Amino acid sequence: YGGGVLVQGGAPIIRRNSIVGNRAYDPTGVVYGYGGGLALLNTGALASGNLIENNDADYGGGIEIGGGTPRILGNEIRGNTAALSGGGVDASLTPGRTALIHGNRILSNSAAYGGGIEIFGFGSAIVTSNLISGNAATDPVVGYGGGVDVLYGDVRLVNNELVVATPSTFSERTNDNTL
């Protein structure tokens, strides 16, 4: 977890850092790697004004959200790669908690699905005023959501600019969301 930065619990502020060129992986291949740049696990952390670039993981190439109530505000999240989901941001939501992803530039990330953002689980997420551009879902079979892929959860996508994503800009595989 957390090739660049790992946060477990608490509510720290992570501001104006360059988190570049990190990798979260298990060299034995026994477990998956989460959060190539930044892993936020069951935390109320604030991550703002950071450059999160060219990081790599199985899940969450740029940022992995594992529950809690994190706030991801005004970051540049670009050029990250996830072998499975969430090239830019991978968010695993927990019941009774809300993650906020606001005002970020999420650019040129890639993953099998959810190239820009992958959101799943049974909690809530508010995704507002982000530029989500040039991201790619790379798996030819399950390549959902070049820009954003939502699986379950109570997700609000409001006032985002989603452009030039492949194969599709948005994938919503449940029916409980506001777009």
Side-chain angles (χ1 to χ4, degrees):
Y1 287 90
V5 178
L6 169 62
V7 176
Q8 293 180 300
I13 296 171
I14 303 149
R15 183 175 287 151
R16 291 190 292 271
N17 299 285
S18 292
I19 304 170
V20 178
N22 299 287
R23 188 170 185 205
Y25 75 103
D26 175 13
T28 67
V30 175
V31 296
Y32 292 113
Y34 295 85
L38 178 59
L40 304 173
L41 308 178
N42 297 310
T43 180
L46 167 64
S48 79
N50 299 291
L51 170 63
I52 301 168
E53 180 179 35
N54 294 333
N55 299 289
D56 180 49
D58 295 309
Y59 293 93
I63 299 174
E64 173 67 26
I65 296 171
T69 57
R71 294 162 293 149
I72 312 299
L73 310 176
N75 299 284
E76 179 96 5
I77 303 166
R78 67 178 184 221
N80 300 288
T81 305
L84 298 171
S85 71
V89 178
D90 186 61
S92 175
L93 307 176
T94 53
R97 305 285 185 201
T98 301
L100 174 62
I101 302 170
H102 173 80
N104 301 284
R105 293 172 43 90
I106 302 171
L107 312 170
S108 302
N109 300 285
S110 66
Y113 47 99
I117 302 175
E118 171 71 20
I119 301 173
F120 64 99
F122 298 97
S124 300
I126 299 169
V127 181
T128 61
S129 302
N130 298 284
L131 170 61
I132 303 168
S133 178
N135 300 286
T138 58
D139 189 289
V141 177
V142 296
Y144 297 110
V148 178
D149 181 39
V150 175
L151 179 60
Y152 306 116
D154 177 16
V155 178
R156 305 291 182 248
L157 289 165
V158 179
N159 199 37
N160 296 286
E161 185 175 349
L162 290 99
V163 293
V164 193
T166 51
S168 61
T169 301
F170 175 73
S171 169
E172 194 266 325
R173 296 185 275 158
T174 64
N175 60 7
D176 298 331
N177 300 301
T178 301
L179 309 176

